[in-house]
Amino acid sequence: SHNMNAIEQLCRRVILLESGVVNIDSCDVRTVVTRYLSGAGGEENASVWVNEGARFQNEYFRPTRMAVVDGNGNAMRMPVRNDDDVWVEIEGEVERADPALTIGYGIFDERGQLLYWTYQTDQPEANWPVIKRGIVRLKSKVPNHMLNEGTFRLEFLASLHFRTWLLEPGVSSPHIVLTIQGGLSDSPYWMAKRPGVLAPVITWQEARDGVSR
């Protein structure tokens, strides 16, 4: 299940598997869930994933790397600010080009709730990145002033559209962690995390005689 809140409410015992091996077997459900959400090995700075060995082999798209990077492509240490320029960069190998290939990521909050997922095919088709045989490198900017403070799980997604999953969320998706802290707003009245998952800076105007000014 992706619903970590439900797991915390319903389960009295949890087992954490890593690479098919039991890493934790505990009745401390909250602690294990937190470790699971924070990334491989429970490292808070697990903002880079690299495919080691022969995992996820297929001819359409074999993922090799996923990372949270800055505008220059350098891996970012966590936490980052809400107003930082943050990019999600993904890499992989294509042996057989297929027009149905979709590549992207999904982002989940600390409770396992899906906030959004995105593919390289979100825009009009004329604007899609061209994917050919060989090495594929794509990046997508996380909108500034959107996420609240907290730790978020980014899952690597890939599929043949409406045909089959190559990297299925919650089943076979590698993941990285994005931690947001600070940079919420320039307002002196907004100095700490507010309720809610999102933290957009909304523009307000004075309205007079039914007209926004």
Side-chain angles (χ1 to χ4, degrees):
S1 172
H2 257 306
N3 192 331
M4 296 297 107
N5 188 38
I7 288 177
E8 285 192 57
Q9 292 178 357
L10 299 175
C11 299
R12 298 181 179 179
R13 175 188 174 199
V14 291
I15 295 175
L16 177 63
L17 300 176
E18 292 182 2
S19 301
V21 177
V22 175
N23 186 279
I24 300 176
D25 183 346
S26 174
C27 295
D28 186 352
V29 176
R30 178 57 183 162
T31 297
V32 179
V33 166
T34 299
R35 173 161 177 170
Y36 167 74
L37 291 173
S38 70
E43 298 176 1
E44 295 180 357
N45 292 317
S47 60
V48 179
W49 171 82
V50 177
N51 190 0
E52 299 178 353
R55 300 181 64 195
F56 308 110
Q57 288 283 4
N58 70 85
E59 61 183 344
Y60 298 105
F61 180 76
R62 176 181 176 271
T64 55
R65 184 176 183 270
M66 181 183 189
V68 175
V69 301
D70 61 21
N72 296 319
N74 301 311
M76 303 180 73
R77 285 189 58 82
M78 298 296 110
V80 297
R81 290 168 52 94
N82 173 284
D83 56 357
D84 281 341
D85 287 336
V86 176
W87 297 76
V88 178
E89 187 173 86
I90 54 182
E91 300 177 8
E93 300 175 355
V94 173
E95 293 183 10
R96 177 183 175 185
D98 192 306
L101 178 63
T102 55
I103 306 168
Y105 70 90
I107 183 167
F108 300 82
D109 69 9
E110 294 172 339
R111 296 288 186 176
Q113 297 295 317
L114 174 65
L115 305 185
Y116 69 83
W117 73 28
T118 177
Y119 294 122
Q120 96 283 3
T121 55
D122 284 356
Q123 304 174 87
E125 189 170 357
N127 297 333
W128 293 358
V130 176
I131 297 180
K132 300 179 180 180
R133 292 182 58 190
I135 303 298
V136 175
R137 293 185 65 192
L138 303 171
K139 67 177 184 178
S140 175
K141 191 173 185 294
V142 177
N144 299 85
H145 286 302
M146 183 185 69
L147 299 175
N148 210 337
E149 289 190 334
T151 298
F152 303 88
R153 176 185 175 92
L154 278 63
E155 294 203 359
F156 204 151
L157 306 178
S159 70
L160 300 181
H161 189 57
F162 282 147
R163 284 163 52 190
T164 186
W165 282 107
L166 304 176
L167 299 174
E168 184 175 0
V171 177
S172 59
S173 297
H175 69 273
I176 55 177
V177 169
L178 171 62
T179 302
I180 303 292
Q181 181 178 326
L184 296 171
S185 173
D186 292 331
S187 169
Y189 280 16
W190 191 351
M191 303 300 293
K193 179 178 180 179
R194 285 181 176 174
V197 176
L198 303 181
V201 176
I202 305 297
T203 300
W204 286 76
Q205 299 175 334
E206 183 181 1
R208 295 180 179 176
D209 301 326
V211 178
S212 297
R213 299 178 186 273

mmCIF file of all heavy atoms in Angstrom, residues 49 51 53-59 61-64 166-168 171-174:
data_model
loop_
_atom_site.group_PDB
_atom_site.id
_atom_site.type_symbol
_atom_site.label_atom_id
_atom_site.label_comp_id
_atom_site.label_asym_id
_atom_site.label_seq_id
_atom_site.Cartn_x
_atom_site.Cartn_y
_atom_site.Cartn_z
ATOM 1 N N TRP A 49 19.811 8.361 -6.712
ATOM 2 C CA TRP A 49 19.720 6.903 -6.849
ATOM 3 C C TRP A 49 20.470 6.504 -8.105
ATOM 4 O O TRP A 49 20.316 7.122 -9.169
ATOM 5 C CB TRP A 49 18.267 6.444 -6.963
ATOM 6 C CG TRP A 49 18.129 4.990 -7.320
ATOM 7 C CD1 TRP A 49 18.201 3.929 -6.477
ATOM 8 C CD2 TRP A 49 17.933 4.439 -8.626
ATOM 9 N NE1 TRP A 49 18.050 2.751 -7.174
ATOM 10 C CE2 TRP A 49 17.884 3.034 -8.499
ATOM 11 C CE3 TRP A 49 17.790 4.992 -9.906
ATOM 12 C CZ2 TRP A 49 17.698 2.183 -9.592
ATOM 13 C CZ3 TRP A 49 17.611 4.152 -10.991
ATOM 14 C CH2 TRP A 49 17.565 2.757 -10.830
ATOM 15 N N ASN A 51 21.459 3.012 -10.412
ATOM 16 C CA ASN A 51 21.166 1.601 -10.648
ATOM 17 C C ASN A 51 22.468 0.804 -10.653
ATOM 18 O O ASN A 51 23.331 0.994 -11.511
ATOM 19 C CB ASN A 51 20.449 1.434 -11.988
ATOM 20 C CG ASN A 51 19.906 0.023 -12.176
ATOM 21 O OD1 ASN A 51 20.051 -0.839 -11.327
ATOM 22 N ND2 ASN A 51 19.262 -0.202 -13.309
ATOM 23 N N GLY A 53 24.313 -2.892 -10.823
ATOM 24 C CA GLY A 53 24.076 -4.254 -11.299
ATOM 25 C C GLY A 53 23.136 -4.280 -12.493
ATOM 26 O O GLY A 53 23.101 -3.364 -13.307
ATOM 27 N N ALA A 54 22.342 -5.335 -12.565
ATOM 28 C CA ALA A 54 21.493 -5.567 -13.737
ATOM 29 C C ALA A 54 20.013 -5.410 -13.405
ATOM 30 O O ALA A 54 19.160 -6.091 -13.967
ATOM 31 C CB ALA A 54 21.772 -6.963 -14.299
ATOM 32 N N ARG A 55 19.673 -4.523 -12.489
ATOM 33 C CA ARG A 55 18.277 -4.353 -12.098
ATOM 34 C C ARG A 55 17.473 -3.657 -13.202
ATOM 35 O O ARG A 55 17.996 -2.877 -13.973
ATOM 36 C CB ARG A 55 18.181 -3.542 -10.813
ATOM 37 C CG ARG A 55 18.887 -4.161 -9.614
ATOM 38 C CD ARG A 55 18.717 -3.295 -8.389
ATOM 39 N NE ARG A 55 17.314 -3.207 -7.978
ATOM 40 C CZ ARG A 55 16.857 -2.297 -7.114
ATOM 41 N NH1 ARG A 55 17.682 -1.413 -6.595
ATOM 42 N NH2 ARG A 55 15.576 -2.286 -6.792
ATOM 43 N N PHE A 56 16.197 -3.975 -13.259
ATOM 44 C CA PHE A 56 15.229 -3.330 -14.162
ATOM 45 C C PHE A 56 15.593 -3.487 -15.634
ATOM 46 O O PHE A 56 15.395 -2.581 -16.443
ATOM 47 C CB PHE A 56 15.097 -1.843 -13.815
ATOM 48 C CG PHE A 56 14.818 -1.569 -12.367
ATOM 49 C CD1 PHE A 56 15.780 -0.990 -11.553
ATOM 50 C CD2 PHE A 56 13.603 -1.901 -11.805
ATOM 51 C CE1 PHE A 56 15.531 -0.737 -10.219
ATOM 52 C CE2 PHE A 56 13.339 -1.647 -10.462
ATOM 53 C CZ PHE A 56 14.304 -1.072 -9.667
ATOM 54 N N GLN A 57 16.106 -4.649 -15.997
ATOM 55 C CA GLN A 57 16.474 -4.889 -17.390
ATOM 56 C C GLN A 57 15.226 -4.998 -18.261
ATOM 57 O O GLN A 57 14.300 -5.745 -17.959
ATOM 58 C CB GLN A 57 17.294 -6.183 -17.508
ATOM 59 C CG GLN A 57 18.702 -6.098 -16.953
ATOM 60 C CD GLN A 57 19.656 -5.370 -17.884
ATOM 61 O OE1 GLN A 57 19.253 -4.853 -18.914
ATOM 62 N NE2 GLN A 57 20.923 -5.334 -17.512
ATOM 63 N N ASN A 58 15.184 -4.246 -19.338
ATOM 64 C CA ASN A 58 14.186 -4.400 -20.395
ATOM 65 C C ASN A 58 14.673 -3.611 -21.600
ATOM 66 O O ASN A 58 15.548 -2.747 -21.475
ATOM 67 C CB ASN A 58 12.803 -3.933 -19.936
ATOM 68 C CG ASN A 58 12.709 -2.443 -19.767
ATOM 69 O OD1 ASN A 58 12.461 -1.716 -20.725
ATOM 70 N ND2 ASN A 58 12.938 -1.957 -18.533
ATOM 71 N N GLU A 59 14.110 -3.886 -22.752
ATOM 72 C CA GLU A 59 14.621 -3.273 -23.973
ATOM 73 C C GLU A 59 14.090 -1.867 -24.219
ATOM 74 O O GLU A 59 14.656 -1.110 -25.010
ATOM 75 C CB GLU A 59 14.280 -4.154 -25.181
ATOM 76 C CG GLU A 59 12.795 -4.369 -25.405
ATOM 77 C CD GLU A 59 12.513 -5.312 -26.563
ATOM 78 O OE1 GLU A 59 13.442 -5.550 -27.357
ATOM 79 O OE2 GLU A 59 11.373 -5.810 -26.675
ATOM 80 N N PHE A 61 13.260 0.698 -21.746
ATOM 81 C CA PHE A 61 13.887 1.738 -20.934
ATOM 82 C C PHE A 61 14.442 1.113 -19.664
ATOM 83 O O PHE A 61 13.696 0.622 -18.826
ATOM 84 C CB PHE A 61 12.893 2.842 -20.568
ATOM 85 C CG PHE A 61 13.491 3.939 -19.735
ATOM 86 C CD1 PHE A 61 14.313 4.895 -20.306
ATOM 87 C CD2 PHE A 61 13.253 4.003 -18.368
ATOM 88 C CE1 PHE A 61 14.878 5.899 -19.539
ATOM 89 C CE2 PHE A 61 13.810 5.009 -17.587
ATOM 90 C CZ PHE A 61 14.629 5.959 -18.173
ATOM 91 N N ARG A 62 15.758 1.165 -19.518
ATOM 92 C CA ARG A 62 16.420 0.683 -18.312
ATOM 93 C C ARG A 62 16.912 1.892 -17.533
ATOM 94 O O ARG A 62 17.809 2.618 -17.983
ATOM 95 C CB ARG A 62 17.593 -0.226 -18.649
ATOM 96 C CG ARG A 62 18.392 -0.679 -17.420
ATOM 97 C CD ARG A 62 19.570 -1.559 -17.799
ATOM 98 N NE ARG A 62 20.378 -1.900 -16.638
ATOM 99 C CZ ARG A 62 21.395 -1.166 -16.189
ATOM 100 N NH1 ARG A 62 21.736 -0.046 -16.808
ATOM 101 N NH2 ARG A 62 22.086 -1.557 -15.124
ATOM 102 N N PRO A 63 16.340 2.184 -16.353
ATOM 103 C CA PRO A 63 16.756 3.361 -15.585
ATOM 104 C C PRO A 63 18.166 3.185 -15.041
ATOM 105 O O PRO A 63 18.547 2.102 -14.606
ATOM 106 C CB PRO A 63 15.735 3.404 -14.454
ATOM 107 C CG PRO A 63 15.354 1.970 -14.246
ATOM 108 C CD PRO A 63 15.342 1.371 -15.630
ATOM 109 N N THR A 64 18.948 4.259 -15.075
ATOM 110 C CA THR A 64 20.307 4.192 -14.553
ATOM 111 C C THR A 64 20.569 5.189 -13.427
ATOM 112 O O THR A 64 21.420 4.961 -12.582
ATOM 113 C CB THR A 64 21.334 4.444 -15.679
ATOM 114 O OG1 THR A 64 21.039 5.706 -16.310
ATOM 115 C CG2 THR A 64 21.271 3.325 -16.720
ATOM 116 N N LEU A 166 6.817 -0.362 -16.684
ATOM 117 C CA LEU A 166 8.231 -0.728 -16.638
ATOM 118 C C LEU A 166 8.785 -0.466 -15.239
ATOM 119 O O LEU A 166 9.600 -1.235 -14.740
ATOM 120 C CB LEU A 166 9.020 0.067 -17.684
ATOM 121 C CG LEU A 166 8.529 -0.058 -19.131
ATOM 122 C CD1 LEU A 166 9.332 0.858 -20.048
ATOM 123 C CD2 LEU A 166 8.607 -1.500 -19.611
ATOM 124 N N LEU A 167 8.347 0.635 -14.625
ATOM 125 C CA LEU A 167 8.644 0.964 -13.230
ATOM 126 C C LEU A 167 7.318 1.363 -12.605
ATOM 127 O O LEU A 167 6.826 2.464 -12.837
ATOM 128 C CB LEU A 167 9.650 2.116 -13.138
ATOM 129 C CG LEU A 167 11.024 1.896 -13.767
ATOM 130 C CD1 LEU A 167 11.836 3.182 -13.721
ATOM 131 C CD2 LEU A 167 11.760 0.772 -13.075
ATOM 132 N N GLU A 168 6.740 0.483 -11.808
ATOM 133 C CA GLU A 168 5.398 0.696 -11.282
ATOM 134 C C GLU A 168 5.445 1.293 -9.887
ATOM 135 O O GLU A 168 6.129 0.772 -9.005
ATOM 136 C CB GLU A 168 4.624 -0.618 -11.256
ATOM 137 C CG GLU A 168 3.181 -0.467 -10.810
ATOM 138 C CD GLU A 168 2.400 -1.762 -10.909
ATOM 139 O OE1 GLU A 168 2.982 -2.783 -11.332
ATOM 140 O OE2 GLU A 168 1.207 -1.749 -10.558
ATOM 141 N N VAL A 171 5.502 -0.647 -6.359
ATOM 142 C CA VAL A 171 5.801 -2.055 -6.645
ATOM 143 C C VAL A 171 7.264 -2.229 -7.021
ATOM 144 O O VAL A 171 7.990 -2.994 -6.398
ATOM 145 C CB VAL A 171 4.891 -2.600 -7.765
ATOM 146 C CG1 VAL A 171 5.265 -4.045 -8.105
ATOM 147 C CG2 VAL A 171 3.421 -2.502 -7.371
ATOM 148 N N SER A 172 7.707 -1.520 -8.052
ATOM 149 C CA SER A 172 9.066 -1.732 -8.536
ATOM 150 C C SER A 172 9.809 -0.418 -8.786
ATOM 151 O O SER A 172 10.819 -0.403 -9.480
ATOM 152 C CB SER A 172 9.037 -2.528 -9.843
ATOM 153 O OG SER A 172 8.279 -1.844 -10.842
ATOM 154 N N SER A 173 9.314 0.679 -8.239
ATOM 155 C CA SER A 173 9.920 1.983 -8.522
ATOM 156 C C SER A 173 11.062 2.311 -7.567
ATOM 157 O O SER A 173 10.846 2.348 -6.354
ATOM 158 C CB SER A 173 8.872 3.090 -8.419
ATOM 159 O OG SER A 173 7.860 2.920 -9.370
ATOM 160 N N PRO A 174 12.257 2.592 -8.087
ATOM 161 C CA PRO A 174 13.281 3.176 -7.222
ATOM 162 C C PRO A 174 12.859 4.578 -6.829
ATOM 163 O O PRO A 174 12.009 5.187 -7.478
ATOM 164 C CB PRO A 174 14.527 3.196 -8.122
ATOM 165 C CG PRO A 174 14.003 3.155 -9.514
ATOM 166 C CD PRO A 174 12.715 2.403 -9.471
#
